[in-house]
Amino acid sequence: MNFIRPYLRVIAGFFAAVFTWMAIDSLFKLEISNAVIGLLFGVGLWYLAVGKPIRDHFARIKAQKDALAARAQAGHEAFLAGDATAALAMPPEPPAKKPVRKGVVAASIIAAALVLLGILGDTSGETDDSSSESPSSTAATPEPTAAPEPTGQPEAMPTAAAPISSTPQSVVPSTASASASTPRSLAFMPNVMCMDLQSAQDTIQEAGVFFSRSNDATGKGRMQISDRNWVVVDQSPAPGAPIDEGDALLSVVKSGEPGDCS
């Protein structure tokens, strides 16, 4: 059993780090109950992981101090008795530290690496979801260049004496007039009720509008970091209404909360 205990402490430390990260992540999301539960589990597992090594360390320091105090007292009594040799004897050796097995060290390094990779993967995934959720409307749809208004006067017909030629002055207004008169295609709001937020955003993009907005329907102002964990419970405008960039507003709640269409 003594051979297995160090490895059990490594496993306890691994899960203690996992629960600690879950508590920190829940705290950032303002999920206080989940943060408290994760913190309680983390503290208990940290005690199982490092409690005994810490107790052994302080016990070894205390034993060393007690041995030095006993040696000093014995030397003082020997000096008073006239035995100078005993008074100058070397202090006792400190208690030997238990050697740490290489297998335990390797298991600890592997567990720490797994926890670090999990944290990095979780944070990078949330960052990608947040950046895809709120793209810049100016980057998504470049504004068309304003075309000069046509003058409304007919172009002068070339005379017989002058050769017919197209100059830049006659070509630019006609091209600009044609592009200005081209109507812009409209997009219509699809029905995205009860979809998860990521699927709703994809559906709106397929309809022709890239940028849509979302908010917490409970009024708590929570950020939608992972879009697939949120469900659309209200949309504005109604399905079939014409929309432009940023017009679509989706009200969402987290999956499992009241009103999530389940």
Side-chain angles (χ1 to χ4, degrees):
M1 188 65 180
N2 292 331
F3 178 80
I4 302 177
R5 283 178 181 174
Y7 296 98
L8 295 178
R9 285 197 291 269
V10 171
I11 296 174
F14 172 79
F15 285 104
V18 172
F19 277 103
T20 302
W21 169 247
M22 291 173 60
I24 295 173
D25 185 54
S26 299
L27 189 61
F28 277 117
K29 295 178 181 178
L30 301 180
E31 298 174 353
I32 305 301
S33 59
N34 292 339
V36 171
I37 294 173
L39 186 61
L40 291 176
F41 275 101
V43 170
L45 289 169
W46 278 123
Y47 177 78
L48 294 176
V50 299
K52 187 176 185 307
I54 292 176
R55 291 195 305 270
D56 291 345
H57 174 72
F58 285 107
R60 187 169 58 253
I61 293 176
K62 184 178 183 300
Q64 184 176 359
K65 290 181 179 180
D66 292 343
L68 287 175
R71 173 67 189 86
Q73 181 65 26
H76 177 68
E77 293 176 356
F79 180 76
L80 293 178
D83 188 359
T85 304
L88 298 177
M90 295 296 293
E93 293 290 333
K97 294 176 61 176
K98 294 182 179 180
V100 180
R101 293 194 292 269
K102 294 181 180 180
V104 177
V105 175
S108 302
I109 294 174
I110 294 173
L114 291 175
V115 171
L116 183 59
L117 289 175
I119 293 174
L120 292 177
D122 191 17
T123 53
S124 62
E126 291 182 355
T127 304
D128 293 341
D129 290 340
S130 178
S131 61
S132 63
E133 173 190 344
S134 302
S136 174
S137 59
T138 56
T141 55
E143 293 295 331
T145 305
E149 295 294 333
T151 59
Q153 298 180 357
E155 299 179 0
M157 297 297 294
T159 61
I164 299 175
S165 62
S166 59
T167 62
Q169 291 78 5
S170 62
V171 173
V172 173
S174 61
T175 305
S177 176
S179 62
S181 62
T182 303
R184 182 177 178 180
S185 59
L186 294 176
F188 297 95
M189 183 69 178
N191 186 2
V192 294
M193 287 290 293
C194 296
M195 292 185 182
D196 65 80
L197 182 55
Q198 184 63 59
S199 300
Q201 290 173 344
D202 295 340
T203 303
I204 294 174
Q205 290 178 6
E206 292 173 359
V209 172
F210 187 80
F211 176 46
S212 59
R213 298 173 294 147
S214 62
N215 62 9
D216 186 357
T218 63
K220 297 179 181 179
R222 297 174 295 179
M223 296 179 61
Q224 292 80 58
I225 296 178
S226 180
D227 295 341
R228 299 192 183 278
N229 292 336
W230 296 79
V231 179
V232 179
V233 296
D234 192 14
Q235 66 177 71
S236 177
I243 55 173
D244 203 345
E245 297 295 335
D247 291 344
L249 176 60
L250 308 177
S251 298
V252 295
V253 297
K254 291 202 70 172
S255 298
E257 292 182 342
D260 65 346
C261 301
S262 60

